[in-house]
Amino acid sequence: MTQSAIYSRVIGTGSYLPARRVTNQQLADELAARGIETSDEWIVARTGIQARHFAAPDQTSSDMAVEAARRALDMAGLSADQIDLIMVATSTPDFVFPSTACLVQSKLGITNGCAAFDIQAVCSGFAYAMATADNFIRSGAYRNVLVIGAETFSRILDFNDRTTCVLFGDGAGAVVLQASSEPGILSSALHADGSHSNILCVPGNVNAGAVQGEAFLYMDGQAVFKLAVKVLEKVAHEALEKAGLEAEAIDWLIPHQANLRIMTSTARKLDAEAKMVVTVDQHGNTSAASIPLALDVAVRDGRIKAGHNVMIEGVGGGFTWGAVLFRM
Ligand SMILES: CC(C)(COP(=O)(O)OP(=O)(O)OC[C@H]1O[C@@H](n2cnc3c(N)ncnc32)[C@H](O)[C@@H]1OP(=O)(O)O)[C@@H](O)C(=O)NCCC(=O)NCCS
């Protein structure tokens, strides 16, 4: 019964990667044709990335979100019409509006009038969305919530800027959360510091029929790196403390898949290097999609099992960061 539900449980996961896989060497060759120099060695050494997927020209974030959602619903054993709320974490929505979540609702054929909205917290978006969904469920407002992270970052990359275009990829991941008397999400912690908004941004908007400002991603890589390492450690401990658990209780750590060096640094501080799920090597940084993509990979390959404690943690533009600790 919804009234007695106090926890939100993950009952299904799903993900989708667009068909076009581009290795570092292929990307380096494409960039060389534009006179931009990079190499597989540089990208692997600085980031751990070996390949990423890019959406087809006519493929949007909502298209990929729908594929991931279908797989998550299938695992959950729910029909789309049983969903009470759809949240899509994305910084690369199909349109300025309507929200990508509304487009997903329509493409899934949902006619029950469920609530649908997007969450904008860049690479922390999925952690923000999970925490938000948890609060809706624990308040008794909704029973079945579809939480999606979906991105087409390839559309906002400047392929003349080698410091950013080698880092990102496209994809989507989804979970179905359901109200339950068993845990469930144990704790969450979300933060932002808008004073750092200029170190990672797409500083443009639509004005009078054109883009005013910049339509490409800008990043001060070193500033982001330093801040990310600092806040991720802190927020992981905050989530553990709220749940009354020690770091040893974590069975699987799923950090935002941005950069293997940042991920390893945080994992080391939690003594959880061996428990870290890594997909950045094959996916690149897919922003809000990276955590649910990695989660789905580790659930489907059998690493993450029922009863395991999973810590997800994200950091991104805004600057935003957050962590969610949950039991599968
Ligand atoms: C982006 C990042 C990989 C760059 O690594 P770095 O060690 O800081 O490298 P620097 O920016 O100091 O650049 C070092 C050199 O490599 C060069 N370089 C940058 N990108 C390159 C590329 N793709 N290929 C080859 N060389 C490159 C630079 O021009 C610079 O050359 P110079 O010394 O001749 O000036 C790193 O800063 C990083 O990972 N930052 C965090 C990014 C992130 O995770 N963002 C998402 C958060 S959500």
Side-chain angles (χ1 to χ4, degrees), residues 186 236-237 239-251 270-272 275 309 311 325:
L186 302 167
H237 283 295
L240 281 166
E241 204 172 303
K242 280 186 174 178
L245 293 174
E246 299 293 330
E248 301 90 79
I250 298 172
D251 293 300
L270 293 169
D271 200 16
K275 302 168 177 176
N309 291 327
M311 161 86 76
L325 184 58

Side-chain angles (χ1 to χ4, degrees), residues 92-136:
T92 46
D94 294 22
F95 304 121
V96 173
F97 67 80
S99 71
T100 307
C102 283
L103 301 175
V104 168
Q105 186 205 49
S106 168
K107 288 180 185 181
L108 285 174
I110 297 176
T111 55
N112 64 7
C114 74
F117 63 90
D118 288 359
I119 293 237
Q120 219 305 19
V122 202
C123 301
S124 312
F126 192 75
Y128 265 66
M130 282 278 274
T132 307
D134 181 41
N135 278 291
F136 272 120

Side-chain angles (χ1 to χ4, degrees), residues 206-222:
V206 177
N207 187 347
V211 173
Q212 178 177 294
E214 294 296 326
F216 287 129
L217 180 149
Y218 166 80
M219 181 173 72
D220 177 344
Q222 291 188 4

Side-chain angles (χ1 to χ4, degrees), residues 38 42 46 123 162 219 221-222 224 256 258-259 262 285 315:
T38 189
W42 192 95
R46 302 286 173 129
C123 301
R162 68 177 182 174
M219 181 173 72
Q222 291 188 4
V224 168
H256 166 47
N259 178 314
I262 296 176
N285 180 348
V315 59

